[in-house]
Amino acid sequence: MSSHFEPLKGGGAAVALDEVEISILRSLAVQLLELIGPGDEPVQGDDPLAALFAEGPSEPPSDPALARLFPEAYQGPGADGADEELRARSAEFRRFTEADLRTRKREDALAVVRSLDALTPAGDGGAVLELRAEDCRHWLGALNDLRLTIGTRLEVGDEDDNEGLYRLPDEDPRKPMVMAYLWLGALQETLVETLSP
């Protein structure tokens, strides 16, 4: 997997993907959608402003990957009274922001799936994906979320702590996910580079 994004004239980016890469990207985006879940959509009713003030969850997710995608806004050092106040602030912040964040993350992942589904494969099953400038934002968000999720599952930490991940033997069951993690990072980096002035 050596695909990388290149800039398009007039804005946007393009990347040549083979059949396997298309399948992997689509599968990962669908799994991300399943992880994020449908969310609780607010009932619109007669008041269109009601959705703006609809409350979401106040507790952090128990799944570590979801907790990484929807982190706490405030964190404290210990378990004293100040921590209680920070937890209350975090709960309030989450209640009013997580639903929108969840929606945006779903939109990003759906944009990836839709753009991959719209590809017209060449004779070898590969295709060139061309993204308009506005589609690149969705792809950047989804690539970032995929890397955060996979990194959490692999327990990726500081760079110094991850040296062993890059030298895993082929028989290690984590090897495919490490390869996907590194590949997604390269895709993300080249997409950022194409959009940088």
Side-chain angles (χ1 to χ4, degrees):
M1 292 184 257
S2 61
S3 301
H4 60 278
F5 280 97
E6 296 180 7
L8 287 175
K9 287 184 181 180
V15 62
L17 299 168
D18 66 31
E19 190 174 11
V20 172
E21 291 169 329
I22 293 168
S23 176
I24 290 170
L25 278 170
R26 189 182 190 291
S27 175
L28 289 172
V30 167
Q31 290 176 55
L32 181 61
L33 283 165
E34 291 170 355
L35 177 67
I36 293 170
D40 297 323
E41 300 301 327
V43 177
Q44 295 293 328
D46 295 329
D47 184 5
L49 294 177
L52 293 175
F53 300 103
E55 294 184 10
S58 60
E59 293 297 317
S62 58
D63 182 316
L66 281 174
R68 185 70 175 102
L69 292 174
F70 305 105
E72 290 286 66
Y74 305 98
Q75 296 182 5
D80 56 14
D83 263 3
E84 258 327 293
E85 184 179 333
L86 289 177
R87 277 195 286 279
R89 286 183 187 176
S90 262
E92 186 171 346
F93 183 82
R94 180 178 300 282
R95 191 168 41 251
F96 293 109
T97 61
E98 187 174 312
D100 287 340
L101 184 57
R102 207 172 269 273
T103 297
R104 194 194 80 220
K105 290 179 181 300
R106 273 195 304 277
E107 288 170 357
D108 291 346
L110 273 171
V112 169
V113 171
R114 288 179 180 139
S115 59
L116 293 171
D117 286 350
L119 287 176
T120 304
D124 62 357
V128 174
L129 172 69
E130 292 187 1
L131 300 174
R132 298 171 303 178
E134 57 267 19
D135 296 327
C136 291
R137 183 194 65 78
H138 290 296
W139 269 77
L140 281 173
L143 288 171
N144 186 60
D145 290 343
L146 286 169
R147 290 194 76 236
L148 286 173
T149 302
I150 292 170
T152 301
R153 298 289 190 236
L154 291 171
E155 298 178 352
V156 171
D158 295 334
E159 288 300 318
D160 296 338
D161 298 338
N162 298 323
E163 282 300 313
L165 282 179
Y166 304 113
R167 291 191 299 264
L168 289 175
D170 289 342
E171 57 275 0
D172 191 302
R174 298 172 295 167
K175 182 81 174 207
M177 290 312 295
V178 169
M179 297 304 293
Y181 178 78
L182 296 173
W183 176 56
L184 291 169
L187 282 175
Q188 184 180 22
E189 183 178 341
T190 60
L191 183 53
V192 168
E193 288 170 0
T194 65
L195 300 175
S196 298

